[in-house]
Amino acid sequence: MKSDQFSSRLGVVLAAAGGAVGLGNIWKFPYMLGQNGGGAFLLVYVLCVVLFGMPLMMMEFMIGKRSGKSVFGAFSALSGSHRWDWLPCLTFLSTVIITGFYCVVTGWCLEYLYFSVVGELQGLTVETVGQLFGSFIQTGWQPLVCSGIAVVLSVSILWAGVGPGIERLSKILMPMLLILLLILIVRVTMLEGAFRGVAFLFASDLSKITSQTILDALGQCFYSLSIAMGALITYGAYMPKNQNVASTTMQIVVLDTLVALLAGCAIFPAVFAFGFSPTEGPKLVFSVLPLVFGQMAGGQVMAIIFFALLSIAAITSAVSLIEMQTAFVLDASVAWRARRAKRNSEASPRTLTRQGAIVVASLATLSVSVVCACSMVDNIDWLRIGGITLFDWADRITSNYTLPLIALFMVIFFGWFVSKETIEAEMRLYHGLKPWFTTLFRFLLRWFIPVIIVLIFLNGIGLFSL
Ligand code: TRP
């Protein structure tokens, strides 16, 4: 299958960065940091990004670029056998769960956009802002409808084929989101008691680092950089052959980390100034920001713009995620039917259409979304396991388990089953790259990353103690 190439190099950077920057940076990063002791988490996170995030992102781009295939065909194309076909299947399952709960949070953004338009966010106090979120989440039908709208909206964008248009639009809108974050930062630092938030964010108390902190930071790093979901492999397949993967990776990683940091700077000063607990979890951003907007001149308009931009960022990510699944379903159905036809010596097998694949992908996403949204409703106890909602489980299982595991298998695949010459041939395309860089890159992929992921993993499940 020949893949179209991106018209410009910047196009690849922006598309991948557009996918990378999303709810992971603005919603998830602050609450993970809050739950894991502040500055200590930041330190571990940055280390994870440098030691794991960058090499893994480069690796995925290379898998895509060298094979010219999206996630389903890439492994067999590079290794020349079908022995690795289970890995894209595992990636697909994990991505379906991620997309499902991603759409639930996208629904929250849409609801908060609605709240800000109708003025519901005005005049809130520290008590009522929590009640607003709580009653919204626990009513059942509201978050259900909102996540349904998020799925339907994303699928319609995909169906109509206007994804590239939206992507282009979001390239104009994303810088606006950054500017808005900067304005928020200026405003929150003026709040009384804001300094404690800044200290919480940046002062690393190393004694707060536990095995959970490390596992969470690793998972967050994968989630935020879209690693281990096949997305980067697909972007890689679209890259021009002479694109320098190392510098592209660097730009995306810096941008993604910067946005997460800006979100932290906008939120934590306000968390402390208003007397919230930083450990509030997924509702942190939705509790704190309305109060900040309430204190600003033109706060309602700002809130509308902010939640509109956040919703757009979330929807563009949801579209890419569902697109990824659609491509998987399509490629898998073509491959499986061709294999069956060969076995039965049939002529031309009928395969799924793109529309059919979109339906399969969106139904999978929608079912996960519905289960996740319902599990947060107050009186539906059977959707909780051990007192924890299936929404939280979906988040935890993917970030802490499936993403590190898939990354581990991918790195074993690339480090040990793809020839050294393939990596060197790729590296030779990047003029000016020193030979030690290739050696370091291979060492990280063959030894350092697999060993450390296994240790972090065993440590996280209590089989080994660091
Ligand atoms: N990284 C995105 C975020 O921070 C979420 C995401 C994960 C994503 N995988 C993706 C977005 C694939 C687009 C494509 O929100």
Side-chain angles (χ1 to χ4, degrees), residues 18-25 98 102 222-227 229 231 235 256 316-318 320-321 324:
V21 174
L23 292 175
N25 310 62
I98 291 182
Y102 203 88
F222 291 166
Y223 183 88
S224 187
L225 295 175
S226 324
I227 285 169
M229 301 181 206
Y235 290 133
D256 188 76
T316 49
S317 293
S320 319
L321 283 163
M324 221 69 67

Short mmCIF file of all heavy atoms in Angstrom, two decimals, residues 18-25 98 102 222-227 229 231 235 256 316-318 320-321 324, ligand 1:
data_model
loop_
_atom_site.label_atom_id
_atom_site.label_comp_id
_atom_site.label_asym_id
_atom_site.label_seq_id
_atom_site.Cartn_x
_atom_site.Cartn_y
_atom_site.Cartn_z
N GLY A 18 -0.21 18.22 17.01
CA GLY A 18 -1.64 18.48 17.23
C GLY A 18 -2.28 17.29 17.92
O GLY A 18 -3.12 17.42 18.79
N GLY A 19 -1.85 16.08 17.52
CA GLY A 19 -2.35 14.88 18.18
C GLY A 19 -1.80 14.75 19.58
O GLY A 19 -2.49 14.31 20.49
N ALA A 20 -0.55 15.15 19.74
CA ALA A 20 0.08 14.98 21.06
C ALA A 20 -0.53 15.93 22.09
O ALA A 20 -0.75 15.56 23.24
CB ALA A 20 1.58 15.21 20.95
N VAL A 21 -0.77 17.17 21.68
CA VAL A 21 -1.32 18.14 22.62
C VAL A 21 -2.82 17.95 22.72
O VAL A 21 -3.52 18.02 21.72
CB VAL A 21 -1.00 19.59 22.17
CG1 VAL A 21 -1.68 20.58 23.07
CG2 VAL A 21 0.50 19.80 22.17
N GLY A 22 -3.28 17.66 23.89
CA GLY A 22 -4.72 17.45 24.04
C GLY A 22 -5.07 17.39 25.51
O GLY A 22 -4.41 18.01 26.35
N LEU A 23 -6.09 16.60 25.79
CA LEU A 23 -6.55 16.50 27.18
C LEU A 23 -5.44 15.97 28.09
O LEU A 23 -5.40 16.27 29.27
CB LEU A 23 -7.75 15.57 27.24
CG LEU A 23 -9.01 16.08 26.57
CD1 LEU A 23 -10.10 15.03 26.60
CD2 LEU A 23 -9.49 17.34 27.27
N GLY A 24 -4.54 15.17 27.50
CA GLY A 24 -3.44 14.61 28.28
C GLY A 24 -2.62 15.70 28.95
O GLY A 24 -2.18 15.55 30.08
N ASN A 25 -2.44 16.81 28.23
CA ASN A 25 -1.62 17.89 28.79
C ASN A 25 -2.41 18.76 29.74
O ASN A 25 -1.91 19.16 30.78
CB ASN A 25 -1.12 18.80 27.66
CG ASN A 25 -0.48 18.03 26.54
OD1 ASN A 25 -1.13 17.21 25.90
ND2 ASN A 25 0.78 18.25 26.34
N ILE A 98 -8.74 3.57 25.50
CA ILE A 98 -8.31 4.96 25.67
C ILE A 98 -9.29 5.91 24.98
O ILE A 98 -9.73 6.90 25.55
CB ILE A 98 -6.89 5.16 25.11
CG1 ILE A 98 -5.91 4.42 26.02
CG2 ILE A 98 -6.54 6.64 24.99
CD1 ILE A 98 -4.48 4.55 25.66
N TYR A 102 -11.48 8.76 26.64
CA TYR A 102 -11.13 10.09 26.11
C TYR A 102 -12.40 10.83 25.68
O TYR A 102 -12.55 12.03 25.92
CB TYR A 102 -10.21 9.90 24.90
CG TYR A 102 -9.35 11.09 24.59
CD1 TYR A 102 -8.10 11.23 25.18
CD2 TYR A 102 -9.77 12.08 23.70
CE1 TYR A 102 -7.30 12.32 24.90
CE2 TYR A 102 -8.97 13.17 23.42
CZ TYR A 102 -7.73 13.28 24.02
OH TYR A 102 -6.93 14.36 23.76
N PHE A 222 3.78 8.30 28.18
CA PHE A 222 3.32 7.59 26.98
C PHE A 222 2.01 8.17 26.48
O PHE A 222 1.82 8.40 25.30
CB PHE A 222 3.12 6.09 27.29
CG PHE A 222 4.41 5.36 27.54
CD1 PHE A 222 4.42 4.10 28.11
CD2 PHE A 222 5.62 5.93 27.21
CE1 PHE A 222 5.61 3.42 28.34
CE2 PHE A 222 6.82 5.26 27.43
CZ PHE A 222 6.81 4.01 28.00
N TYR A 223 1.10 8.40 27.42
CA TYR A 223 -0.22 8.89 27.06
C TYR A 223 -0.12 10.24 26.37
O TYR A 223 -0.71 10.48 25.32
CB TYR A 223 -1.05 9.00 28.34
CG TYR A 223 -2.47 9.42 28.13
CD1 TYR A 223 -3.46 8.48 27.89
CD2 TYR A 223 -2.82 10.76 28.18
CE1 TYR A 223 -4.76 8.87 27.70
CE2 TYR A 223 -4.13 11.15 27.99
CZ TYR A 223 -5.09 10.21 27.75
OH TYR A 223 -6.38 10.60 27.56
N SER A 224 0.66 11.13 26.97
CA SER A 224 0.70 12.50 26.46
C SER A 224 1.43 12.59 25.12
O SER A 224 1.08 13.40 24.27
CB SER A 224 1.38 13.39 27.50
OG SER A 224 1.28 14.72 27.11
N LEU A 225 2.44 11.74 24.94
CA LEU A 225 3.17 11.78 23.67
C LEU A 225 2.55 10.84 22.63
O LEU A 225 3.09 10.67 21.55
CB LEU A 225 4.64 11.42 23.89
CG LEU A 225 5.44 12.41 24.75
CD1 LEU A 225 6.85 11.87 25.01
CD2 LEU A 225 5.53 13.76 24.09
N SER A 226 1.41 10.22 22.97
CA SER A 226 0.71 9.28 22.08
C SER A 226 1.59 8.09 21.70
O SER A 226 1.54 7.60 20.58
CB SER A 226 0.22 9.93 20.79
OG SER A 226 -0.20 11.23 20.98
N ILE A 227 2.40 7.63 22.65
CA ILE A 227 3.27 6.49 22.39
C ILE A 227 2.52 5.19 22.66
O ILE A 227 1.64 5.15 23.52
CB ILE A 227 4.53 6.61 23.28
CG1 ILE A 227 5.43 7.69 22.71
CG2 ILE A 227 5.29 5.28 23.38
CD1 ILE A 227 6.54 8.09 23.60
N MET A 229 0.46 3.55 20.81
CA MET A 229 -0.93 3.47 20.33
C MET A 229 -0.96 3.29 18.82
O MET A 229 -2.03 3.30 18.21
CB MET A 229 -1.68 4.73 20.69
CG MET A 229 -1.70 4.95 22.18
SD MET A 229 -2.60 6.41 22.58
CE MET A 229 -1.83 6.83 24.12
N ALA A 231 -0.30 5.39 16.70
CA ALA A 231 -0.53 6.66 16.02
C ALA A 231 0.75 7.16 15.36
O ALA A 231 0.75 7.59 14.20
CB ALA A 231 -1.04 7.69 17.01
N TYR A 235 1.77 8.12 11.47
CA TYR A 235 2.34 9.40 11.02
C TYR A 235 3.66 9.16 10.30
O TYR A 235 3.96 9.80 9.30
CB TYR A 235 2.61 10.33 12.21
CG TYR A 235 1.36 10.88 12.88
CD1 TYR A 235 1.23 10.86 14.27
CD2 TYR A 235 0.33 11.44 12.13
CE1 TYR A 235 0.09 11.35 14.89
CE2 TYR A 235 -0.80 11.94 12.75
CZ TYR A 235 -0.92 11.89 14.13
OH TYR A 235 -2.02 12.38 14.73
N ASP A 256 5.05 19.52 23.53
CA ASP A 256 4.08 18.81 24.37
C ASP A 256 4.36 19.04 25.85
O ASP A 256 3.46 19.28 26.65
CB ASP A 256 4.15 17.30 24.04
CG ASP A 256 3.05 16.52 24.73
OD1 ASP A 256 1.91 16.60 24.26
OD2 ASP A 256 3.33 15.87 25.75
N THR A 316 -10.24 16.89 17.98
CA THR A 316 -9.27 16.54 16.94
C THR A 316 -8.50 15.29 17.37
O THR A 316 -8.20 14.43 16.54
CB THR A 316 -8.26 17.67 16.63
OG1 THR A 316 -7.74 18.14 17.86
CG2 THR A 316 -8.89 18.79 15.89
N SER A 317 -8.19 15.18 18.66
CA SER A 317 -7.50 13.96 19.12
C SER A 317 -8.41 12.75 18.99
O SER A 317 -7.97 11.69 18.56
CB SER A 317 -7.05 14.10 20.57
OG SER A 317 -6.05 15.07 20.67
N ALA A 318 -9.68 12.92 19.37
CA ALA A 318 -10.62 11.80 19.28
C ALA A 318 -10.76 11.35 17.82
O ALA A 318 -10.80 10.15 17.53
CB ALA A 318 -11.97 12.18 19.86
N SER A 320 -8.49 11.60 15.46
CA SER A 320 -7.29 10.83 15.06
C SER A 320 -7.33 9.44 15.67
O SER A 320 -6.92 8.47 15.03
CB SER A 320 -5.99 11.46 15.53
OG SER A 320 -5.98 12.80 15.38
N LEU A 321 -7.79 9.35 16.92
CA LEU A 321 -7.82 8.04 17.57
C LEU A 321 -8.79 7.10 16.85
O LEU A 321 -8.48 5.94 16.61
CB LEU A 321 -8.20 8.19 19.04
CG LEU A 321 -7.08 8.70 19.96
CD1 LEU A 321 -7.62 9.20 21.28
CD2 LEU A 321 -6.05 7.59 20.21
N MET A 324 -7.41 6.02 13.55
CA MET A 324 -6.40 4.98 13.74
C MET A 324 -7.07 3.60 13.80
O MET A 324 -6.62 2.63 13.21
CB MET A 324 -5.70 5.24 15.07
CG MET A 324 -4.23 5.04 15.05
SD MET A 324 -3.50 6.31 14.06
CE MET A 324 -3.85 7.73 15.06
N1 TRP B 1 -1.66 12.56 23.42
C1 TRP B 1 -3.01 12.97 23.38
C2 TRP B 1 -3.28 13.90 24.55
O1 TRP B 1 -2.39 14.31 25.21
C3 TRP B 1 -3.96 11.82 23.41
C4 TRP B 1 -3.67 10.83 22.38
C5 TRP B 1 -3.15 9.63 22.59
C6 TRP B 1 -3.81 10.95 20.97
N2 TRP B 1 -2.98 8.99 21.41
C7 TRP B 1 -3.36 9.75 20.41
C8 TRP B 1 -4.26 11.94 20.14
C9 TRP B 1 -3.37 9.53 19.05
C10 TRP B 1 -4.26 11.71 18.77
C11 TRP B 1 -3.81 10.53 18.24
O2 TRP B 1 -4.38 14.26 24.79
#
